[in-house]
Amino acid sequence: IMTYSSDPCHWLCDCLKLPKLGHNYILCYFRNEAVMLGPHWLGVIVITTIIIGGTICLNISSPWGKSDPFYHISIVLGIFCFGTLWLMALSDPGIVTNDAEDKTRARMCAVCDLMVPNTSYHCRDCAVCIEEWDHHCVWMGKCVGKKNIVYFKLFNFSWLIFLLFLAV
């Protein structure tokens, strides 16, 4: 049993008695999928503050009036960034919880004590194996893997579009 947590605010989630899967906090289940925060959820709060604060500052300090299309575009882009960030932050990255069905394409994870697909990787920060692991992202608060890579790409696309909009 691992007791180490790299989450700087684990005490808050411990006080709320949130169930855990590895070091990920399960908030609820939606359509048989866990809605969870990763162990570095503070990074998501920081990015949320930047998106909301940036959108508000942009519209307060801009010469655009509320009837100007740029005002509405900036609001829509801010909401899109916010939405894709939280889709990523709350999604399951592809945590392996059961032994792999295809034993010919699996290996034993010594830490999880499970037969995991060859494409999985054990993340020490999350304390679980992630199928088709890409990387552990502290800004997203969790690993990027098979089940949430699309949300990760959508978030990156959304903030780049917002950045380009600001540059123009």
Side-chain angles (χ1 to χ4, degrees):
I1 297 173
M2 296 183 65
T3 58
Y4 166 76
S5 175
S6 59
D7 175 12
C9 298
H10 66 89
W11 55 270
L12 177 61
C13 293
D14 291 344
C15 287
L16 295 173
K17 297 187 184 330
L18 292 174
K20 291 174 83 172
L21 184 55
H23 292 171
N24 295 282
Y25 302 101
I26 300 173
L27 304 176
C28 64
Y29 287 89
F30 180 72
R31 296 183 181 171
N32 295 327
E33 289 288 328
V35 176
M36 63 178 68
L37 281 172
H40 299 117
W41 55 270
L42 197 58
V44 180
I45 301 299
V46 169
I47 293 177
T48 298
T49 305
I50 291 169
I51 291 170
I52 292 172
T55 304
I56 290 170
C57 288
L58 172 70
N59 285 305
I60 288 174
S61 65
S62 72
W64 314 325
K66 289 187 178 180
S67 61
D68 193 310
F70 287 108
Y71 173 83
H72 298 289
I73 292 169
S74 68
I75 297 292
V76 168
L77 289 174
I79 291 170
F80 186 55
C81 283
F82 178 82
T84 56
L85 169 67
W86 280 96
L87 272 173
M88 170 60 197
L90 296 174
S91 64
D92 175 3
I95 296 174
V96 179
T97 56
N98 299 317
D99 282 336
E101 292 178 18
D102 185 1
K103 304 289 185 209
T104 61
R105 295 187 178 166
R107 60 180 172 74
M108 186 67 160
C109 175
V111 181
C112 293
D113 198 30
L114 288 171
M115 288 295 289
V116 296
N118 286 335
T119 59
S120 65
Y121 175 81
H122 186 85
C123 175
R124 290 184 180 149
D125 286 316
C126 292
V128 290
C129 282
I130 307 294
E131 195 170 355
E132 294 180 25
W133 183 82
D134 188 69
H135 68 285
H136 182 88
C137 182
V138 294
W139 297 109
M140 297 292 114
K142 61 172 49 171
C143 285
V144 178
K146 180 180 182 176
K147 290 187 177 179
N148 66 359
I149 190 120
V150 171
Y151 298 139
F152 181 73
K153 290 176 180 178
L154 269 173
F155 173 70
N156 282 320
F157 174 75
S158 69
W159 73 260
L160 284 171
I161 294 297
F162 199 19
L163 191 64
L164 288 172
F165 174 77
L166 294 177
V168 172

